[in-house]
């Protein structure tokens, strides 16, 4: 048997493709800016960032693997209507209403526009260059369309072609920074001064990778099935291993980018794109800007391809009469339109949206992992924490809009444990989880034998216990 036909090759390529799909524009700029802003507190900030930027997405992939239906099977565990709201919100936010147009716009501003402007930096770019953005996004989405029209080859195209190029460029940039740029010891910015680790945790929200793990899960499951992973246990193990491969690469890159950002701290840099461009230009001159642009372009392209492919597969389950090509066309058209509205308009929704959806996503992931060793089929342990998280995070999201009408919410949110670090939902959700477990045990859902979990998602959970 040729190595290309082996399961090991499939897992490696799938893991590389998953890393590339996770690693978009935000994954470039957020860790670098943590390095710039955290200063001497960079270690604690990085630990927090890795918790939500790496560990949580890997656990999300393992959670998704407990269901053969991916996110839909997981979301139904919190109730039909809440589950539908959850999945639609996740796919719209990580898809054509936010993440897909964002990566197109960001890739233009970070890779093409600076090369066309003498001495230009990404922060200098304004919305007045509408023609250039329109031409670029047309080409960008044309390439994305070509790559997603054959979904059976999607992962190999990303994993075998684009990921190695992206990783090589990142290694060149990070390695050069360690050899040529001196270390710094600057005071941390205000938000990292007192609570660096919780701040790093919140910053990890903005990668949106925990949500993306739900989105990409179905792509990974379908691909593994097409490549000979026939049993539920094989699909679970393959998805989990691919998640670990992707998570390991993400962690290494994040550590490198954060430390790179720490070496250009103290220069008045205000955003991650500017910091990365400054580092690249300092190291390689004009050629550094080309390297920086290629990294941004590849990162955004691979993420866009993965997000479009996953979102199309999901919405076809809701609208099965719409053909695959027609659904791709809808996604591309909507994303193209929103991308040309400009990055600033797109980014206005990210903070409230993340504050609202992330807590419930974390609850679902945690309970999925608890469900693996616990015999039986949990119900209220899924529903109560997710519902509580939704309720409290809705007020946190309203406050994060910075509208004057919601300023008073901060007083009440801070009355809850961890409220002052924007994690007021944690303790109430934990109490709800304990209550849900007790209620499930009282109603006989937690059993002493495993024979009752031999069907549907339960079979996957049983297989997971044997790994």
């Amino acid at each position: 048997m040729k190595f290309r036909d082996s399961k090991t090759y499939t897992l490696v390529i799938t893991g590389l493709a998953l890393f590339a799909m996770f690693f978009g524009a935000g994954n470039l700029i957020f860790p670098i800016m943590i390095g710039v802003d955290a200063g001497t507190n960079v270690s604690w900030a990085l630990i927090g960032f890795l918790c939500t930027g790496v560990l949580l997405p890997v656990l999300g992939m393992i959670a998704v693997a407990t269901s053969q239906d991916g996110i839909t099977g997981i979301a139904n565990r919190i109730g039909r209507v809440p589950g539908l709201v959850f999945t639609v919100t996740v796919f719209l936010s990580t898809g054509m209403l936010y993440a897909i147009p964002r990566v197109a716009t960001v890739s233009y501003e970070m890779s093409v526009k600076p090369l066309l402007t003498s001495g230009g930096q990404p922060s200098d770019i304004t919305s007045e260059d509408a023609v250039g953005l329109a031409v670029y996004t047309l080409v960008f989405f044309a390439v994305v369309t070509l790559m997603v029209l054959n979904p059976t080859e999607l992962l190999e195209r990303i994993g075998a072609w684009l990921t190695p190029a992206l990783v090589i460029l990142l290694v060149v940039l990070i390695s050069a920074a360690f050899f040529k740029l001196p270390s710094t010891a600057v005071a941390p910015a205000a938000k990292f001064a007192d609570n660096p680790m919780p701040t790093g945790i919140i910053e990890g929200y903005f990668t949106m990778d925990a949500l993306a793990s739900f989105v990409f899960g179905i792509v990974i499951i379908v691909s593994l099935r097409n490549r000979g992973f026939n049993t539920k246990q094989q699909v679970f193990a393959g998805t989990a291993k691919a998640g670990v491969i992707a998570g390991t690469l993400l962690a290494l890159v994040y550590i490198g980018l954060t430390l790179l950002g720490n070496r250009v701290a103290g220069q008045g840099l205000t955003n991650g794109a500017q910091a990365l461009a400054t580092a690249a230009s300092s190291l390689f001159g004009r050629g550094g800007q080309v390297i920086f642009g290629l990294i941004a372009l590849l990162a955004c392209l691979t993420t866009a391809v993965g997000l479009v492919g996953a979102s199309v597969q999901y919405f076809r389950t809701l609208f099965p009469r719409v053909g695959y090509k027609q659904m791709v066309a809808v996604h591309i058209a909507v994303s193209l339109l929103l991308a040309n509205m400009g990055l600033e308009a797109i980014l206005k929704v990210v903070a409230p949206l993340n504050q609202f959806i992330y807590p419930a996503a974390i609850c679902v992931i945690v309970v999925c992992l608890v469900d693996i060793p616990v015999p039986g089929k949990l119900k209220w342990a899924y529903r109560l924490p997710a519902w509580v998280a939704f309720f409290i995070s809705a007020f946190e999201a309203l406050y994060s809009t910075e509208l004057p009408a919601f300023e008073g919410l901060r007083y009440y949110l801070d009355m809850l444990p961890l409220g002052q670090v924007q994690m007021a939902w944690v303790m109430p959700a934990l109490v709800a989880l304990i209550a849900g477990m007790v209620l499930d045990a009282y109603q006989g859902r937690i059993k002493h034998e495993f024979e009752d979990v031999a069907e549907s998602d339960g079979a996957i959970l049983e297989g997971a216990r044997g790994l």
Side-chain angles (χ1 to χ4, degrees), residues 101-102 105 109 127 133 337-347:
R102 182 188 76 165
T105 306
E109 297 192 354
S127 58
L133 178 61
L337 176 65
L338 292 177
N340 281 276
M341 292 176 61
L343 180 61
E344 188 173 325
I346 297 172
L347 292 179

Side-chain angles (χ1 to χ4, degrees), residues 43 64 106 155 180 199 277 282 319 322 460:
S43 297
V64 170
V106 168
L155 287 184
K180 293 186 177 182
T199 303
S282 299
F319 306 100
V322 179
I460 310 232

Side-chain angles (χ1 to χ4, degrees), residues 74-412:
I74 299 297
N76 285 338
R77 299 173 189 174
I78 66 174
R80 173 174 285 185
V81 174
L84 180 62
V85 172
F86 179 78
T87 53
V88 170
T89 302
V90 167
F91 274 99
L92 288 178
S93 62
T94 60
M96 54 186 167
L97 294 189
Y98 171 63
I100 296 173
R102 182 188 76 165
V103 296
T105 306
V106 168
S107 65
Y108 171 75
E109 297 192 354
M110 292 174 67
S111 63
V112 175
K113 182 61 177 178
L115 296 176
L116 302 178
T117 305
S118 177
Q121 295 284 359
S123 58
D124 298 328
I125 300 160
T126 65
S127 58
E128 63 187 17
D129 188 32
V131 175
L133 178 61
V135 172
Y136 173 82
T137 51
L138 280 171
V139 176
F140 181 88
F141 282 117
V143 175
V144 172
T145 301
L146 290 175
M147 296 194 70
V148 299
L149 281 180
N150 191 343
T152 59
E153 298 180 10
L154 179 61
L155 287 184
E156 184 162 4
R157 288 176 176 177
I158 296 176
W161 301 356
L162 298 181
T163 308
L166 174 60
V167 170
I168 289 170
L169 290 172
L170 286 170
V171 168
V172 168
L173 182 61
I174 293 172
S175 299
F178 278 97
F179 283 107
K180 293 186 177 182
L181 296 180
S183 59
T184 61
V186 300
K191 65 179 181 178
F192 286 102
D194 297 325
N195 299 294
M197 187 172 176
T199 303
I201 289 173
I202 298 298
E203 290 293 310
Y205 282 5
F206 293 97
T207 66
M208 300 188 77
D209 282 345
L211 301 184
S213 67
F214 288 112
V215 174
F216 295 144
I218 190 62
V219 176
I220 301 300
I221 289 171
V222 170
S223 177
L224 291 177
R225 285 175 182 166
N226 291 336
R227 291 179 171 273
F229 289 70
N230 299 316
T231 69
K232 294 176 180 179
Q233 290 82 0
Q234 286 178 335
V235 171
F236 176 89
T239 304
K241 290 174 182 177
V244 170
I245 292 172
T248 301
L249 288 173
L250 281 174
L252 292 173
V253 171
Y254 286 160
I255 292 170
L257 289 175
T258 301
L259 297 181
L260 184 154
N262 202 240
R263 291 185 177 230
V264 295
Q267 300 184 36
L269 302 171
T270 58
N271 63 72
Q274 188 183 41
L276 185 58
T278 298
S281 298
S282 299
L283 292 167
F284 303 109
R286 188 67 172 175
Q289 188 62 67
V290 175
I291 294 176
F292 165 73
L294 287 174
I295 291 173
L297 178 59
L298 286 174
C300 292
L301 181 62
T302 53
T303 299
V305 170
L307 290 174
V308 172
S311 185
V312 165
Q313 290 186 39
Y314 169 71
F315 281 104
R316 286 204 66 215
T317 65
L318 297 182
F319 306 100
R321 293 186 179 180
V322 179
Y324 183 83
K325 292 183 178 180
Q326 288 73 24
M327 189 64 78
V328 170
V330 170
H331 278 69
I332 295 300
V334 172
S335 299
L336 180 63
L337 176 65
L338 292 177
N340 281 276
M341 292 176 61
L343 180 61
E344 188 173 325
I346 297 172
L347 292 179
K348 284 183 179 180
V349 301
V350 66
L353 189 61
N354 281 334
Q355 292 282 18
F356 174 67
I357 197 68
Y358 247 88
I362 293 172
C363 289
V364 171
I365 291 172
V366 168
V367 181
C368 281
L369 299 176
V370 170
D371 205 4
I372 292 175
V374 173
K377 296 185 69 174
L378 301 178
K379 176 182 177 181
W380 296 110
Y382 279 103
R383 298 185 177 192
L384 294 185
W387 293 354
V388 168
F390 267 133
F391 178 76
I392 296 176
S393 62
F395 295 104
E396 195 74 68
L398 290 174
Y399 174 78
S400 67
T401 62
E402 299 182 355
L403 296 175
F406 303 122
E407 287 182 359
L409 292 175
R410 187 76 266 155
Y411 172 79
Y412 298 100

Side-chain angles (χ1 to χ4, degrees), residues 424-440:
W425 60 273
V426 173
M427 292 305 295
L430 181 59
V431 172
L433 172 60
I434 295 172
M437 294 289 289
V438 171
L439 186 56
D440 281 335

